[in-house]
Amino acid sequence: RAERRAAMVRDLALIRTWAAQALILAAQVSTLVMQASAADDGAIVVIGDSIASGQGLKEGEAAYADYLREYTGGTVTNLAVSGYKTGDLITFLDDSAKNAPVASAKIICVSIGANDLIDPAKEYFRTLQQEDEGIMDTVKRLAKEDKAVQLISGLTKALREPRKTATANFTVILEKLRALNPDARIIMQTIYNPAEMPKRYFTSEKFTESDIKNYNTLCTYVGNNLAVLNKAMQALD
């Protein structure tokens, strides 16, 4: 049980790292929002997943919407839900009991898509996990066993359909947003690579050149998959 708790702690620490990286992206999006709202203090609505909701932050730490509120001085409503996939957001936009703030907003910030790939990737990793391993423990073990190619092959199969679904859903989401609120400015936030770690993380003697090479291979693979979703968002008209 102690080993299992330790594995859970390691996974939670990783989530917090991702959340901290997400706040950097929030500042970038805030610049766009400020440009849109500099002469307008109208309502801003944030929708989407855990990046927007602030999952992993300690009590009192600012979430995505808090930064927008501080930077713009406007009214910001955070309707994001941790764990949301693109399909969940579509269901949300179809729910008249929940979507009223979206319909009346002047600026809509959307953070969505990461869970469409993260959830099936986690399910795939669980098929490879050994007892008391956290997900990152599994990744590290497979990297040390020089099984990066095997790992990527399995992930490719696991992510193929979810990636197609998410890409198609981006168009549906935009259409529904425009139908609800044709006058709002819509800002779609692209997805960062959660596999990226600071270089200092690999200065430990625990990592060999082969470990780092395998990690870089996996990180590049994850980045390429996310690039497909990001390009799909950027191509939305």
Side-chain angles (χ1 to χ4, degrees):
R1 290 182 180 179
E3 292 179 354
R4 186 174 295 277
R5 283 197 299 268
M8 290 175 64
V9 169
R10 287 191 292 270
D11 283 346
L12 287 173
L14 181 63
I15 290 172
R16 284 188 51 74
T17 299
W18 296 351
Q21 293 175 355
L23 291 180
I24 297 174
L25 291 178
Q28 297 172 346
V29 175
S30 295
T31 300
L32 295 176
V33 177
M34 288 178 70
Q35 293 172 355
S37 62
D40 186 353
D41 61 356
I44 301 171
V45 171
V46 176
I47 57 176
D49 52 28
S50 59
I51 299 299
S53 72
Q55 177 177 325
L57 297 176
K58 292 181 180 179
E59 184 177 353
E61 289 183 333
Y64 186 102
D66 299 316
Y67 277 96
L68 295 181
R69 190 177 297 109
E70 178 183 348
Y71 291 163
T72 65
T75 301
V76 180
T77 302
N78 190 352
L79 300 176
V81 179
S82 296
Y84 257 23
K85 299 179 185 178
T86 52
D88 297 314
L89 185 56
I90 289 173
T91 300
F92 168 83
L93 294 174
D94 285 335
D95 189 341
S96 59
K98 297 179 180 179
N99 65 24
V102 176
S104 61
K106 293 192 176 180
I107 300 171
I108 304 169
C109 297
V110 186
S111 170
I112 200 69
N115 290 320
D116 289 67
L117 299 189
I118 289 176
D119 284 1
K122 284 181 177 179
E123 288 301 318
Y124 170 68
F125 283 128
R126 288 190 182 101
T127 67
L128 305 174
Q129 279 179 298
Q130 295 180 353
E131 188 175 359
D132 296 324
E133 273 189 340
I135 290 175
M136 286 309 298
D137 296 316
T138 304
V139 174
K140 291 175 187 176
R141 173 174 57 80
L142 293 173
K144 286 182 177 295
E145 293 173 0
D146 204 22
K147 293 183 178 179
V149 174
Q150 174 188 333
L151 186 64
I152 288 174
S153 176
L155 276 174
T156 298
K157 294 178 182 178
L159 299 181
R160 185 176 292 122
E161 289 306 314
R163 190 176 59 195
K164 289 181 181 178
T165 299
T167 300
N169 281 348
F170 287 144
T171 300
V172 177
I173 288 169
L174 184 60
E175 289 174 349
K176 289 185 178 295
L177 285 172
R178 286 181 171 163
L180 275 171
N181 193 336
D183 298 321
R185 177 167 183 179
I186 301 169
I187 300 175
M188 300 283 290
Q189 179 184 314
T190 52
I191 308 167
Y192 74 101
N193 186 344
E196 288 184 347
M197 293 291 182
K199 289 184 179 180
R200 65 178 182 276
Y201 183 76
F202 297 98
T203 57
S204 170
E205 295 179 356
K206 295 180 181 179
F207 297 95
T208 65
E209 289 185 8
S210 177
D211 295 337
I212 296 173
K213 180 180 178 181
N214 286 328
Y215 161 77
N216 287 333
T217 299
L218 178 61
C219 189
T220 299
Y221 171 79
V222 173
N224 289 340
N225 269 274
L226 295 177
V228 173
L229 300 190
N230 288 336
K231 287 179 181 178
M233 275 190 278
Q234 292 164 345
L236 294 173
D237 186 8

